[in-house]
């Protein structure tokens, strides 16, 4: 499974490992897990980004996708950055 228009070149926007933050639930508050990464455009061109995916690996076309989200297009020029954060609530 892959994104509809996945960036596969050396743009700085390709699949990579994100940082993971676990927050324990206390006093009736559910625990949560956040996976986040900042991507910086490095190709010298402009790309419009309009979707994000969370995968179980970084190799294009070989890893399973846990989640996908589309959004209004964000145009990134060389040196521009975008941060993607996934938040999962754990528990009830």
């Amino acid at each position: 499974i892959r994104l509809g228009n996945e960036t596969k070149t050396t743009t700085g926007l390709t699949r990579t490992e994100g940082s993971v933050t676990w927050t324990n639930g206390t006093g009736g508050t559910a625990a949560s897990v956040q996976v986040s990464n900042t991507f910086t455009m490095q190709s010298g061109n402009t790309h419009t980004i309009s979707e994000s995916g969370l995968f179980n690996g970084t190799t294009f076309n070989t890893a399973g996708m846990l989640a996908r989200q589309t959004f209004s297009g964000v145009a990134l020029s060389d040196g521009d950055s975008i941060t993607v954060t996934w938040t999962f609530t754990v528990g009830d």
Side-chain angles (χ1 to χ4, degrees):
I1 298 175
R2 64 187 188 105
L3 297 171
N5 190 20
E6 185 162 355
T7 304
K8 303 176 284 290
T9 60
T10 57
T11 60
L13 306 176
T14 57
R15 292 185 191 188
T16 190
E17 292 182 23
S19 61
V20 178
T21 304
W22 173 268
T23 304
N24 288 323
T26 58
T29 302
S32 66
V33 176
Q34 281 192 338
V35 180
S36 181
N37 193 67
T38 298
F39 299 88
T40 301
M41 183 64 174
Q42 300 171 352
S43 76
N45 298 315
T46 299
H47 286 287
T48 299
I49 305 302
S50 60
E51 61 183 336
S52 175
L54 186 61
F55 296 85
N56 66 354
T58 59
T59 305
F60 175 74
N61 239 7
T62 62
M65 183 169 23
L66 171 64
R68 176 180 180 251
Q69 181 65 51
T70 59
F71 46 88
S72 296
V74 177
L76 299 177
S77 297
D78 194 45
D80 288 347
S81 296
I82 186 170
T83 299
V84 176
T85 302
W86 292 90
T87 303
F88 296 90
T89 301
V90 182
D92 51 306

